[in-house]
């Protein structure tokens, strides 16, 4: 059973617009949550990590929130650029110990058009 | 610059063939991982390792073996490749299970 659900599956925005990506999960325990960016055919690059209840992070034009009660996270991208075209993957870590596992969502494919 | 390097970038083999995917990390990380990525699925963990000589079974290990020969090198072995193993394979490393991950650029495997 999929434990990390992302929505939308794909999204097209015009350059300069803002967008919001959603991540809902059922992983327990939920030690931390990461957002990764994956360019086509490339590896995953970490954008941000959220650890605590109601965490909010900011990394340039990327900002993220985490609601552990609702098991929900959002990734906001402001003033999108063409280079933001990529797949954005939500990943939940189930514990912080050496036995921790990562649970990956299938990703949201973002396409930014001129 | 610290990195995770995978080789080959692309590989084609026939059903029943023998394939070895290589991964080297220069991050001085203890943990290394092999994942496969298929359309419509999140990355799925095949095998991982805490250090040289250590091997742990992941979530989708069937048909795969792995070996961690050194701190830096982690290999994924497909001894009897099948078309169902056609996929994009990623290697990753981390200092601990909770720390940041560094991913390789991937190996695209086609089994015909």
């Amino acid at each position: 059973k999929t434990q990390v659900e992302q929505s939308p599956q794909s999204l097209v925005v015009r350059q300069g617009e803002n967008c919001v990506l959603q991540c809902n999960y059922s992983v327990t325990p939920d030690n931390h949550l990461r957002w990764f960016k994956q360019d086509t055919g490339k590896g995953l690059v970490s954008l941000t990590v959220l650890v605590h209840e109601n965490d909010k992070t900011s990394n340039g034009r990327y900002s993220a929130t985490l609601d552990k009660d609702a098991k929900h996270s959002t990734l906001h991208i402001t003033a999108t650029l063409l280079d933001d075209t990529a797949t954005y993957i939500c990943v939940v870590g189930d514990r912080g110990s050496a036995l921790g596992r990562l649970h990956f969502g299938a990703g949201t494919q973002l396409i930014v058009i001129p | 610059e610290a990195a995770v390097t995978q080789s080959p970038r692309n590989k084609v083999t026939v059903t029943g063939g023998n394939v070895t995917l290589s991964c080297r990390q220069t991050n001085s990380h203890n943990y290394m991982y092999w994942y496969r990525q298929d359309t419509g699925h999140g990355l799925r963990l095949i095998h991982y390792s805490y250090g040289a000589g250590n091997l742990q079974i992941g979530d989708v290990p069937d048909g795969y073996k792995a070996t961690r020969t050194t701190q830096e090198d982690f290999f994924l072995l497909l001894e009897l490749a099948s078309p169902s193993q056609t996929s994009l394979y990623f290697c990753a490393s981390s200092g601990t299970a909770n720390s940041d991950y560094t991913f390789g650029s991937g190996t695209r495997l086609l089994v015909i």
Side-chain angles (χ1 to χ4, degrees):
Chain A
K1 181 189 175 191
T2 302
Q3 295 193 64
V4 180
E5 299 277 0
Q6 292 186 241
S7 62
Q9 189 172 1
S10 62
L11 178 64
V12 180
V13 299
R14 290 199 178 278
Q15 182 177 352
E17 293 180 342
N18 302 333
C19 64
V20 181
L21 283 57
Q22 312 283 351
C23 178
N24 290 284
Y25 62 92
S26 58
V27 177
T28 300
D30 49 348
N31 179 270
H32 63 280
L33 186 147
R34 294 182 185 276
W35 284 94
F36 286 90
K37 178 185 180 185
Q38 183 181 24
D39 292 318
T40 302
K42 300 289 182 61
L44 283 67
V45 176
S46 180
L47 295 175
T48 191
V49 58
L50 303 112
V51 178
H52 306 293
E53 170 65 28
N54 294 323
D55 250 1
K56 294 181 181 179
T57 62
S58 181
N59 178 9
R61 294 180 298 102
Y62 301 102
S63 60
T65 65
L66 175 62
D67 181 342
K68 281 197 170 185
D69 281 345
K71 291 188 179 291
H72 177 74
S73 176
T74 60
L75 177 68
H76 298 247
I77 308 175
T78 59
T80 53
L81 303 172
L82 297 179
D83 284 348
D84 291 333
T85 294
T87 299
Y88 292 83
I89 298 175
C90 174
V91 183
V92 180
D94 61 14
R95 52 180 64 85
S97 71
L99 298 178
R101 293 288 187 91
L102 298 185
H103 302 262
F104 290 78
T108 291
Q109 185 180 20
L110 173 65
I111 298 172
V112 181
I113 59 176
Chain B
E1 180 181 315
V4 175
T5 304
Q6 293 183 233
S7 62
R9 289 297 310 273
N10 298 282
K11 177 72 177 179
V12 181
T13 190
V14 297
T15 300
N18 194 317
V19 177
T20 298
L21 306 185
S22 302
C23 178
R24 164 163 284 208
Q25 56 102 355
T26 58
N27 302 324
S28 299
H29 283 166
N30 292 324
Y31 295 81
M32 295 186 74
Y33 310 81
W34 276 107
Y35 292 93
R36 61 177 291 171
Q37 185 179 36
D38 303 290
T39 304
H41 290 87
L43 269 71
R44 293 180 287 178
L45 181 65
I46 304 171
H47 290 297
Y48 63 109
S49 166
Y50 300 156
N54 176 268
L55 181 64
Q56 302 294 320
I57 295 173
D59 299 321
V60 289
D62 292 346
Y64 301 96
K65 293 184 179 179
T67 179
R68 180 88 176 269
T69 55
T70 65
Q71 178 81 347
E72 294 78 21
D73 298 301
F74 195 30
F75 299 93
L76 186 67
L77 295 83
L78 292 73
E79 295 183 331
L80 287 171
S82 72
S84 65
Q85 294 176 307
T86 291
S87 187
L88 181 57
Y89 290 86
F90 285 102
C91 177
S93 73
S94 69
T96 69
N98 194 32
S99 67
D100 208 355
Y101 276 57
T102 304
F103 281 83
S105 298
T107 294
R108 192 170 294 278
L109 175 66
L110 173 63
V111 183
I112 57 176

